[in-house]
């Protein structure tokens, strides 16, 4: 290639050469013709609605259009044709009366049905009788109704029956989802889903599997959820419980026992006293009991559906006097307080007598009892006042328990002046 400064004897100046190069570059960069396509509006159609198959990127110099049902050009599956110049419409064997063709090649379906689902082919022919064809897909889905749940057993028995729950109705192109108490299914070996998730199996059922269960159905155009479904699981009875827990009763009181057992349906109850005297009741009442009412009391719980029986035995003892087991907390506490008070009084009295005897022993002259000396009435030996009357006769000293039994209330002492004291 010559340099841009070469002589222009070839009839080209430098700027003209640049222009030619730019033109060639533009020629090789031209975009190719856009591809003919079909678009479904809307992409997913609900049954009973209208759908348009819209055509994009039609070539120029067109002479007409042909629509076929299927993926190939087949006159036996021709729906409709349209000639542009004459605007002539020709119906084919596959025409249903619900299709409308437009001058731009688009095809409208009214009140579409599930049978309209499938592929559709457009053939575009130009005036030189050259043709192009393209295939599009039409997706039609059922407008889902509210689903419901059915069970293979109305009264499944606990730990015995498998339960199969089915989400109805069965529809094509539908996704099924299960919920328990409005939550997703927990991971459990006892819960099994079918391949399409339409059925849920419980192996086996327990009393905790009552639910409520819900199923959801979904497709691209709609969704629905069932009403809650609760399982009626039959179980029990469990071992009954007898109340109250007391086993010892006083003679003359009333005996009132109640029996309760977990069961579905509710259990039927009866009582046996010492193995006999059956009483068909849940609560047993015996007034004014005696010692003859002591013995074993058996509660029997029966489930009429499962046919199972469970029993619990309670031993009742009736006594004439209340034993230690029968004392109330208040009675025991009062007795303890009374004993403590008596002990405290006894200790106080013993301490008083002990002091009294100790003083007598330590001061035999001043605290010992003496017969009164002869003196002038009303005058003591030292001129002081004497006792107003005669002193009581002293008692013979005895054991301390006698003093506790017969205390001397005439306690006194006499002071005798010493002989060496000046008068």
């Amino acid at each position: 290639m010559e340099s841009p400064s070469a002589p222009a004897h070839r009839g080209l100046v430098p700027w003209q050469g640049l222009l030619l190069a730019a033109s060639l570059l533009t020629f090789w960069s031209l975009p190719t013709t856009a591809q003919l396509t079909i678009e479904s509006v809307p992409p997913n159609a609900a049954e009973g609605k209208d759908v348009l198959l819209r055509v994009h990127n039609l070539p120029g110099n067109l002479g007409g259009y042909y629509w076929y049902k299927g993926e190939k050009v087949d006159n036996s599956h021709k729906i409709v044709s349209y000639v542009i110049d004459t605007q002539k419409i020709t119906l084919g064997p596959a025409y249903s009366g619900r299709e409308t063709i437009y001058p731009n090649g688009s095809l409208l379906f009214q009140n579409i049905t599930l049978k309209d689902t499938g592929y559709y082919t457009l053939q575009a022919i130009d005036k030189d009788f050259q043709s192009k064809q393209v295939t599009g897909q039409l997706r039609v889905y059922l407008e889902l109704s509210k689903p419901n749940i059915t069970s293979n057993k109305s009264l499944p028995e606990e730990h015995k029956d498998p339960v199969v729950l089915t989400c109805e109705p069965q529809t094509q192109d539908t996704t099924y989802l299960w919920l328990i108490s409005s939550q997703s299914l927990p991971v459990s070996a006892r819960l099994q889903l079918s391949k399409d998730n339409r059925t849920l199996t419980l192996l086996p059922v327990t009393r905790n599997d009552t639910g409520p269960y819900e199923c959801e159905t979904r497709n691209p155009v709609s969704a629905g959820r069932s009403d809650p479904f609760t399982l009626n699981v039959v179980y029990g009875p469990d071992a009954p419980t007898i109340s109250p827990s007391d086993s010892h009763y006083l003679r003359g009181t009333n005996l009132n026992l109640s029996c309760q057992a977990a069961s579905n349906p509710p259990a039927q109850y009866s009582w046996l006293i010492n193995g006999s005297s059956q009483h068909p009741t849940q609560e047993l009442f015996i007034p004014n009991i005696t010692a003859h009412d002591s013995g074993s009391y058996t509660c029997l719980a029966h489930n009429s559906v499962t046919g199972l029986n469970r029993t619990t035995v309670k031993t009742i003892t009736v006594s004439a006097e209340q034993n230690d087991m029968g004392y109330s907390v208040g009675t025991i506490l009062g007795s303890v307080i009374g004993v403590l008070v008596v002990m405290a009084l006894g200790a106080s009295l013993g301490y008083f007598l002990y002091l009294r005897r100790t003083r007598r022993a330590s001061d035999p002259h001043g605290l010992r009892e003496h017969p009164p000396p002869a003196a002038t009435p009303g005058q003591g030996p030292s001129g002081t006042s004497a006792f107003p009357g005669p002193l009581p006769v002293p008692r013979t000293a005895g054991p301390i328990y006698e003093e506790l039994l017969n205390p001397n209330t005439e306690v006194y002492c006499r002071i005798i002046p010493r002989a060496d004291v000046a008068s």
Side-chain angles (χ1 to χ4, degrees):
M1 178 181 293
E2 296 180 358
S3 64
S5 61
H9 64 276
R10 297 180 182 176
L12 295 175
V13 295
W15 65 270
Q16 290 174 329
L18 294 174
L19 182 60
L20 178 59
S23 299
L24 291 173
L25 182 60
T26 303
F27 173 78
W28 289 112
S29 300
L30 286 176
T32 59
T33 304
Q35 187 177 2
L36 184 64
T37 59
I38 296 176
E39 176 191 11
S40 175
V41 182
N44 300 304
E47 187 179 33
K49 304 298 182 180
D50 295 346
V51 181
L52 179 67
L53 293 180
R54 179 180 295 169
V55 181
H56 295 282
N57 305 320
L58 283 170
N61 195 29
L62 281 178
Y65 314 100
Y66 293 83
W67 278 98
Y68 301 90
K69 187 170 184 179
E71 298 183 71
K72 61 182 180 178
V73 175
D74 186 349
N75 287 331
S76 63
H77 292 90
K78 178 182 175 182
I79 300 173
V80 65
S81 63
Y82 180 81
V83 179
I84 296 176
D85 290 343
T86 62
Q87 299 183 359
K88 181 181 178 180
I89 298 176
T90 303
L91 305 179
Y95 180 75
S96 67
R98 297 176 293 107
E99 297 88 354
T100 301
I101 192 170
Y102 291 96
N104 63 358
S106 298
L107 184 66
L108 175 68
F109 291 82
Q110 293 177 307
N111 192 24
I112 200 166
T113 68
L114 292 178
K115 294 181 179 180
D116 296 323
T117 299
Y119 291 93
Y120 291 83
T121 299
L122 169 67
Q123 184 183 38
I125 301 177
D126 62 17
K127 293 179 180 180
D128 296 330
F129 300 101
Q130 300 296 318
S131 66
K132 290 185 178 182
Q133 66 184 51
V134 62
T135 299
Q137 186 176 9
L138 181 60
R139 297 179 179 89
V140 183
Y141 298 92
L142 183 67
E143 189 81 31
L144 296 175
S145 59
K146 186 176 183 178
N148 65 286
I149 298 175
T150 60
S151 174
N152 66 324
K153 284 187 174 293
S154 58
L155 291 174
E157 187 174 339
E158 184 180 38
H159 303 308
K160 180 178 179 181
D161 295 327
V163 173
V164 180
L165 301 179
T166 305
C167 190
E168 301 286 0
Q170 183 178 14
T171 55
Q172 296 180 347
D173 302 317
T174 300
T175 300
Y176 296 90
L177 177 67
W178 287 91
L179 304 170
I180 299 180
S181 300
S182 299
Q183 302 293 327
S184 300
L185 289 180
V187 178
S188 173
R190 295 190 307 105
L191 302 180
Q192 298 180 2
L193 288 170
S194 60
K195 187 175 181 180
D196 60 356
N197 284 4
R198 183 168 167 256
T199 62
L200 172 64
T201 304
L202 295 85
L203 296 170
V205 70
T206 70
R207 69 185 70 181
N208 297 323
D209 295 327
T210 55
Y213 295 85
E214 296 171 288
C215 76
E216 284 188 0
T217 54
R218 299 176 183 176
N219 66 16
V221 298
S222 62
R225 178 181 289 194
S226 69
D227 291 329
F229 179 87
T230 302
L231 282 174
N232 188 12
V233 180
V234 176
Y235 61 87
D238 293 347
T241 301
I242 300 176
S243 60
S245 59
D246 298 337
S247 298
H248 294 80
Y249 291 84
L250 285 177
R251 183 179 59 189
T253 59
N254 297 331
L255 179 64
N256 191 359
L257 300 178
S258 178
C259 189
Q260 182 67 42
S263 177
N264 183 42
Q268 300 170 349
Y269 299 93
S270 59
W271 289 88
L272 294 99
I273 303 176
N274 294 324
S276 60
S277 302
Q278 188 170 3
H279 299 272
T281 179
Q282 184 175 0
E283 294 190 3
L284 180 66
F285 178 74
I286 302 177
N288 194 23
I289 57 178
T290 67
H292 296 290
D293 295 313
S294 297
S296 63
Y297 287 73
T298 303
C299 171
L300 186 146
H302 172 70
N303 188 316
S304 59
V305 177
T306 63
L308 299 177
N309 297 303
R310 298 294 297 274
T311 60
T312 296
V313 180
K314 185 180 184 68
T315 301
I316 298 296
T317 301
V318 181
S319 58
E321 296 181 359
Q322 193 171 20
N323 55 22
D324 293 341
M325 296 296 295
Y327 283 124
S328 64
V329 175
T331 302
I332 296 175
L333 183 60
S335 300
V336 172
I337 294 176
V339 171
L340 293 177
V341 170
V342 172
M343 292 177 63
L345 291 176
S348 299
L349 183 58
Y351 181 68
F352 171 76
L353 294 175
Y354 170 76
L355 291 179
R356 178 181 176 186
R357 295 175 64 87
T358 303
R359 289 177 181 176
R360 287 179 179 178
S362 61
D363 191 6
H365 298 287
L367 297 179
R368 189 172 52 194
E369 298 176 356
H370 296 277
T376 304
Q379 299 291 328
S382 59
T384 59
S385 298
F387 290 103
L391 293 175
V393 178
R395 297 185 303 169
T396 304
I400 188 171
Y401 65 87
E402 291 186 359
E403 295 187 9
L404 289 174
L405 294 176
N406 302 298
N408 184 12
T409 58
E410 300 177 357
V411 179
Y412 65 93
C413 67
R414 180 176 181 182
I415 302 175
I416 300 177
R418 297 180 58 167
D420 57 350
V421 177
S423 56

